Amino acid sequence: MEVSCHNAAMLRVGLTGGIGSGKSTVAGRLAEHGAVVIDADRIAREVVEPGTEGLAEVVAAFGAGVLAADGTLDRAALAATVFADDDARTRLNAILHPRIGRRTGELMAAAPADAVVVHDVPLLVENHLGPGYHLVLVVDAPVDTRVRRIVVDRGMSEQDARARIAAQATEADRRAAADVWLANGGARDEVLADVDMLWADRLVRFESNVRLGRRAKYGTPRVVEPDPTWPAQAARLAARIGTAIGRTARVDHIGSTSVPGMPAKDVVDLQLTVASMAEADELAEPLAAAGFPRLDWIDHDSPKPHAPDVEQWRKRIHASADPGRPVNLHLRAEGSPGWRLALLMSAWLRADEAAFAEYLALKRELAARYGADDDTERYAVHKEPWFDAATPRAIAWAERTGWTPN
């Protein structure tokens, strides 16, 4: 399902969760706070209401047997028709999805410029829709809790409830798609409190940052122990960037958070490969709309001794508008020294145990020396000589091993 929307300033939030997770509770609370909630299931029903072209086309494709006695769509009969028939399901999707997408786009475009639009999509994970949103919220609860809710609230048998759950995305798939995980296995007040906090601390601030084209403000970043979810977070951000610029893009996870086991400041560094700085400038607006405004005062990296000409080190850098996820997005021209070195240093530190240990020791020493004072500037300055000295070793490693950026 593709959604067309021309209101670029608004914050788009994808909301999903398996059957019985309590997703509607979260959607309702967000609406109480002022979010514009767009319910994909409701739209799917609207486009096949009696008298619509959608219903007429469904009947033409599958026969009058999919109609109930009152002329409405008999969803159970339609499901039985398409459930085990891939071709039939493809025909049905071809009828419904464009209509659902158009109607969703109309509702999004009608939202105010300062809206937080929450798109409630049950199959967001299954249909890989996450990259189209600024943020994805996943509501979850233990399977037994979900089964109990389905049996009590929907009158379904336990066997059918478990079958429905098993047919949906796995917890692992949902965690991979989630920017925010809302655990809803306890008392209702607990998840509502989490939603209240999310709204005040993240969504409202994220929306205003996107609308005003500014980066989020964070406390002074400190070196923390490695987070095993950093690569998954980087992958979600990379997919979002590719969707934002409307083409297949090379977005690499670079820096310390890309090196397993390496302590780092909790800032995800990404590199978007471009053909030139002119192309980078053309991408400034779509990236800002996607939540990555440009930092105009930075236009180059510090030259290294092996390539001293500053013109070779030109770049553009964007930061995150999301208060919950610091990001540095570096746009560098393919083949430039800075582009190659960013990829090389990460690869070398991942592959060379001695280099890893040496850099780890330096980071721990500097963190102990400057971390207590939140002096990140001196921390960064004192790392630079190590990188200058390490660069020839990394280049020699690349030559020795045959490493290339591709």
Side-chain angles (χ1 to χ4, degrees):
M1 178 183 65
E2 294 185 3
V3 176
S4 175
C5 175
H6 304 291
N7 192 346
M10 68 186 182
L11 189 74
R12 298 181 306 280
V13 178
L15 173 64
T16 193
I19 184 172
S21 64
K23 178 169 55 67
S24 59
T25 298
V26 172
R29 188 61 151 199
L30 289 168
E32 289 176 10
H33 279 296
V36 175
V37 177
I38 298 174
D39 187 331
D41 275 348
R42 182 177 299 172
I43 294 172
R45 292 190 293 270
E46 288 177 359
V47 299
V48 288
E49 286 180 345
T52 62
E53 292 182 359
L55 181 59
E57 196 167 338
V58 168
V59 172
F62 300 102
V66 299
L67 288 177
D70 61 358
T72 61
L73 181 65
D74 185 335
R75 295 182 176 278
L78 179 61
T81 300
V82 305
F83 181 74
D85 187 333
D86 289 343
D87 290 340
R89 194 160 56 253
T90 299
R91 290 202 306 278
L92 179 63
N93 289 340
I95 296 169
L96 299 183
H97 284 186
R99 290 176 167 84
I100 294 170
R102 282 195 296 273
R103 181 56 181 155
T104 303
E106 290 170 2
L107 293 172
M108 286 191 174
D114 61 351
V116 174
V117 175
V118 175
H119 191 196
D120 182 344
V121 188
L123 299 181
L124 183 151
V125 175
E126 291 85 344
N127 291 331
H128 310 290
L129 301 176
Y133 303 96
H134 291 94
L135 210 63
V136 171
L137 316 183
V138 174
V139 187
D140 193 61
V143 170
D144 288 344
T145 301
R146 294 167 61 192
V147 169
R148 185 170 63 252
R149 289 171 179 167
I150 297 167
V151 171
V152 172
D153 297 342
R154 307 193 185 196
M156 195 180 294
S157 71
E158 179 177 341
Q159 181 179 356
D160 287 346
R162 292 189 182 278
R164 287 284 297 275
I165 290 172
Q168 293 183 334
T170 65
E171 179 180 331
D173 290 337
R174 287 200 175 95
R175 285 193 180 275
D179 297 297
V180 177
W181 186 265
L182 291 167
N184 188 24
R188 186 171 184 270
D189 285 349
E190 294 177 0
V191 74
L192 293 181
D194 289 341
V195 174
D196 293 345
M197 189 180 306
L198 173 68
W199 177 266
D201 294 346
R202 192 166 185 178
L203 297 184
V204 171
R205 293 165 58 199
F206 197 174
E207 182 283 320
S208 63
N209 288 340
V210 170
R211 176 164 40 87
L212 298 174
R214 66 188 180 197
R215 65 174 175 173
K217 293 182 179 179
Y218 311 96
T220 302
R222 295 186 177 213
V223 175
V224 299
E225 291 305 303
D227 182 344
T229 72
W230 278 333
Q233 293 182 54
R236 286 196 300 274
L237 292 161
R240 197 161 287 149
I241 289 163
T243 298
I245 65 176
R247 62 171 174 79
T248 301
R250 175 171 181 171
V251 184
D252 290 282
H253 185 195
I254 58 172
S256 292
T257 60
S258 73
V259 181
M262 178 67 74
K265 288 180 287 186
D266 187 18
V267 181
V268 173
D269 280 277
L270 301 169
Q271 177 170 271
L272 171 58
T273 298
V274 294
S276 64
M277 289 301 97
E279 182 187 4
D281 291 339
E282 292 172 0
L283 298 178
E285 186 174 335
L287 287 174
F292 303 97
R294 190 164 86 180
L295 308 184
D296 290 327
W297 59 92
I298 301 174
D299 67 357
H300 66 278
D301 292 305
S302 298
K304 299 300 177 189
H306 71 284
D309 183 359
V310 70
E311 290 301 319
Q312 295 182 292
W313 296 84
R314 294 294 175 191
K315 73 171 182 180
R316 302 291 183 263
I317 185 165
H318 293 240
S320 176
D322 177 7
R325 171 29 65 204
V327 177
N328 291 325
L329 173 60
H330 309 261
L331 279 66
R332 296 185 176 103
E334 184 171 9
S336 66
W339 174 84
R340 180 181 173 86
L341 187 60
L343 299 170
L344 170 58
M345 293 302 290
S346 298
W348 178 50
L349 289 170
R350 286 192 291 265
D352 190 304
E353 292 182 6
F356 176 96
E358 183 180 321
Y359 186 44
L360 175 60
L362 174 69
K363 293 191 75 165
R364 290 202 185 280
E365 176 192 342
L366 295 178
R369 189 184 307 172
Y370 302 117
D373 298 326
D374 289 341
D375 193 344
T376 55
E377 184 173 341
R378 283 203 291 173
Y379 172 87
V381 166
H382 281 79
K383 284 197 307 180
E384 202 65 27
W386 185 87
F387 276 101
D388 288 346
T391 295
R393 293 161 54 197
I395 293 172
W397 170 83
E399 293 173 348
R400 186 172 66 252
T401 62
W403 177 88
T404 69
N406 297 318

